[in-house]
Amino acid sequence: MTTAGTPPAPGTGPLAGVRVVELAGIGPGPFAAMLLADLGADVVRVDRPGGVGLGIDPAHDVTNRNKRSILVDLKAPDGPARVLDLAERADILIEGYRPGVAERLGVGPGDCHARNPRLVYGRMTGWGQDGPLAHRAGHDVAYIALTGTLGMIGRPDEPPAVPANLLGDYAGGSLYLVVGVLAALHHARATGTGQVVDAAIVDGTAHLSAMIHGMLAAGGWQDRRAANLLDGGCPYYGTYQTADGRYMAVGALEGKFYEEFLRLLGLDGLASARTDWTRWGELRERIAAVFKSRTRDEWTAVFEDSDACVAPVLSLREAPHHPHLAARGTFTGHGGITQPAPAPRFSATPTTVRTGPARPGADTAAVARDWGTPAHPTDDPVTDGG
């Protein structure tokens, strides 16, 4: 544990010296722990024998990069004790079980705080630790459905569009858990007292829509899909198909950008349509017809040096090769896997992908040595990969 005022080692991220225990799960918990690891924390993932559901090949699970792993069977006689030994030496613990499960396993907040009162205990769930649905199963799509955010996305004459699991699991879940545990860590270091952080995807996703709720209250947002400025209802904020069946994204909201957008499209007589919603149908049709006249790459070249706020819609495999993203190193390669680089960026404590995905149980001996935890009969030094 880093002493207050002690600077981290250079080049290892702003969280160098922070110790994190991650009780293995799926989705938002591992992503949150990856973010902490990217920022320099020493994250030890406690994997369970047999792995977790929806798992991919551990060698390709990028959400486990920059971590180390030990194998612990929490239902074995010595399982809880092994986790508590780590919790005693940790700054943060993250778990993603249903409410009450960690307590039944003997690794709940009470058990951990009895060993380490300064520990920040982060709980990642979809529904939260209380409420009528707290003990129900669920996944990202159900959580964002109840918050009203899923119902905002998509065309009005089609089912709501599912935004992968980015909006709920990762934006409303992982990022709020990380903000919460880091805020609680700041408090713990100032007061010597840890606490429990209840990060629920429903809470975080609802919080993301704060601006929209303000606009709704002010009469500036209609409670239906594709009828508003930012949800695809506005003809100069959305996507258009090109001649080759690909798409361009348009975000020409401000007046000067809108004028530049029309100029480069070669459209005349539509300046006043920007603020006249009765003409939005006409505007959309004319814009769509022009975009259909050229390919995506041709339109990319047209808008490349402009402030019209237009960009090509790229695929996952195309994105790393875009000149701007390539120049910034937004994506990086490690162990043969192209992946997003750590974000955000720091001037004094730069971050990097230090290691590839942790293999379950590969770091048992190294973690025991570095953290000073007692040896257990079930430890298998043969599996240690450093």
Side-chain angles (χ1 to χ4, degrees):
M1 197 176 300
T2 301
T3 304
T6 302
T12 53
L15 293 186
V18 172
R19 288 178 170 175
V20 179
V21 177
E22 175 199 353
L23 302 186
I26 61 174
F31 186 88
M34 181 203 75
L35 180 50
L36 295 171
D38 283 355
L39 296 178
D42 182 4
V43 176
V44 173
R45 178 176 165 94
V46 180
D47 278 299
R48 66 189 74 172
V52 296
L54 299 182
I56 64 173
D57 178 359
H60 292 87
D61 190 349
V62 172
T63 63
N64 285 329
R65 72 186 185 191
N66 287 338
K67 303 178 185 178
R68 299 191 286 178
S69 169
I70 67 172
L71 277 180
V72 175
D73 183 356
L74 280 169
K75 295 182 179 179
D78 68 340
R82 297 185 65 189
V83 171
L84 293 177
D85 286 339
L86 292 170
E88 182 177 344
R89 295 158 173 79
D91 298 287
I92 297 167
L93 183 145
I94 290 173
E95 61 93 356
Y97 303 132
R98 293 196 208 187
V101 171
E103 285 83 350
R104 291 197 298 273
L105 291 171
V107 294
D111 303 293
C112 291
H113 282 143
R115 296 281 292 272
N116 179 4
R118 298 171 60 93
L119 181 72
V120 172
Y121 195 103
R123 316 198 81 164
M124 183 75 260
T125 61
W127 305 118
Q129 295 298 311
D130 53 36
L133 296 178
H135 294 275
R136 292 274 298 277
H139 278 296
D140 173 287
V141 69
Y143 308 139
I144 67 175
L146 288 195
T147 63
T149 50
L150 178 61
M152 293 167 49
I153 305 171
R155 295 175 54 85
D157 53 349
E158 297 177 0
V162 178
N165 68 331
L166 302 178
L167 176 57
D169 276 354
Y170 297 146
S174 304
L175 298 187
Y176 279 85
L177 176 63
V178 169
V179 169
V181 297
L182 292 182
L185 179 62
H186 175 75
H187 174 265
R189 290 186 166 177
T191 66
T193 303
Q195 60 182 302
V196 177
V197 177
D198 175 5
I201 294 173
V202 290
D203 296 346
T205 307
H207 193 261
L208 289 170
S209 65
M211 183 189 76
I212 304 299
H213 278 275
M215 295 174 70
L216 185 66
W221 190 275
Q222 299 181 62
D223 197 10
R224 54 192 178 92
R225 287 196 300 284
N228 300 285
L229 190 65
L230 302 173
D231 65 354
C234 173
Y236 46 92
Y237 192 90
T239 57
Y240 288 92
Q241 191 175 46
T242 55
D244 53 351
R246 297 180 177 181
Y247 293 87
M248 297 294 290
V250 176
L253 289 176
E254 293 85 351
K256 61 182 180 180
F257 302 149
Y258 176 76
E259 291 175 6
E260 176 76 351
F261 171 61
L262 293 183
R263 183 183 70 80
L264 291 172
L265 283 181
L267 290 175
D268 298 319
L270 292 171
S272 62
R274 174 175 170 268
T275 55
D276 183 358
W277 66 266
T278 65
R279 297 186 64 191
W280 277 9
E282 171 199 355
L283 179 58
R284 183 183 305 281
E285 289 179 3
R286 292 188 61 182
I287 292 173
V290 174
F291 269 119
K292 279 286 189 71
S293 68
R294 300 187 189 183
T295 66
R296 187 193 66 178
D297 290 347
E298 288 173 332
W299 281 120
T300 299
V302 169
F303 287 101
E304 189 168 22
D305 295 321
S306 79
D307 277 341
C309 303
V310 177
V313 178
L314 303 182
S315 71
L316 290 173
R317 294 191 185 277
E318 289 177 312
H321 303 289
H322 187 275
H324 179 78
L325 303 185
R328 282 186 58 81
T330 299
F331 292 87
T332 188
H334 191 281
I337 302 174
T338 299
Q339 56 198 277
R345 305 180 186 201
F346 300 86
S347 62
T349 54
T351 58
T352 186
V353 178
R354 305 183 302 279
T355 62
R359 307 299 180 91
D363 307 293
T364 300
V367 170
R369 179 190 67 234
D370 295 345
W371 285 41
T373 56
H376 289 267
T378 53
D379 288 349
D380 181 9
V382 176
T383 64
D384 180 62

